[in-house]
Amino acid sequence: METLTGETARLRIEPLREAHADELFDAFQAAALYRFIPERPHPSLASMRVEYREFAGGAPAHSGEIWLNWALRLKDGGEAIGTLQATRFADGSQWLGYKLAPAHWGQGLASEALGWLAPALRPWLAHGPLLAAVDSRHPASQRVLLKNGFWLLREETAELHGEPSLDRIYVFESGQYNL
């Protein structure tokens, strides 16, 4: 599947490029962003650029995976504010995720972005459901998924930054599947 571009009322959604690291690095250093996700802030702009270059290149050949990654940009002013990801792993599982700079939380932008992404990935539904994992202590992210047609599938014990946690696994339009 070719990486799509798109737009919503307030966002431009463009394939992730290495240069997006330059725009997102400072905003993605905020400690609050990593409270409920397993990542940590990049130690340097150079390391973030390397990661974004890898993401932009897609999954390694012969890995059996598909990686799609986008940057989110405000139409008004053109600021890059976040990322979206969709991954089909070699085992056939399909996951999506999103990350938004904290300065833009609480404005409905994550819901708007996911409102574009989930329908754009409808062709993937022929291969199985789309899944997303959220830390159980992150109600805002759970609301984003619920607003966009996901429903709670299960809970799994997890570990986050060395502490026990609980992940909630959400599924998109999977009523048609026997999970």
Side-chain angles (χ1 to χ4, degrees), residues 59-80:
H62 309 295
S63 69
E65 297 183 351
I66 298 172
W67 296 354
L68 301 177
N69 293 277
W70 298 269
L72 303 174
R73 186 177 301 284
L74 291 175
K75 285 182 175 179
D76 185 18
E79 178 185 4

Side-chain angles (χ1 to χ4, degrees), residues 96-160:
L96 51 88
Y98 46 93
K99 185 163 55 173
L100 200 65
H104 299 283
W105 291 355
Q107 300 170 32
L109 293 164
S111 290
E112 196 170 312
L114 200 58
W116 171 83
L117 179 59
L121 292 176
R122 279 195 195 280
W124 283 31
L125 294 176
H127 303 279
L130 297 172
L131 303 167
V134 177
D135 187 284
S136 64
R137 299 164 294 176
H138 196 6
S141 194
Q142 293 172 56
R143 285 190 300 272
V144 167
L145 292 168
L146 292 169
K147 284 182 193 176
N148 282 286
F150 287 77
W151 55 273
L152 181 62
L153 178 64
R154 65 181 180 266
E155 294 183 331
E156 298 178 354
T157 58
E159 185 178 294
L160 185 62

Side-chain angles (χ1 to χ4, degrees), residues 16-17 20-35 37 39-45 47-49 51-52 55 69-73 79-85 97-105:
L16 188 71
R17 298 181 319 271
H20 286 116
D22 298 340
E23 297 180 78
L24 291 167
F25 180 76
D26 288 339
F28 279 8
Q29 292 302 299
L33 185 57
Y34 301 93
R35 181 171 177 206
I37 62 175
E39 296 174 50
R40 292 289 192 185
H42 276 274
S44 68
L45 174 58
S47 73
M48 191 171 177
R49 287 181 66 90
E51 179 179 87
Y52 281 23
F55 288 167
N69 293 277
W70 298 269
L72 303 174
R73 186 177 301 284
E79 178 185 4
I81 62 163
T83 59
L84 289 173
Q85 300 108 5
Y98 46 93
K99 185 163 55 173
L100 200 65
H104 299 283
W105 291 355

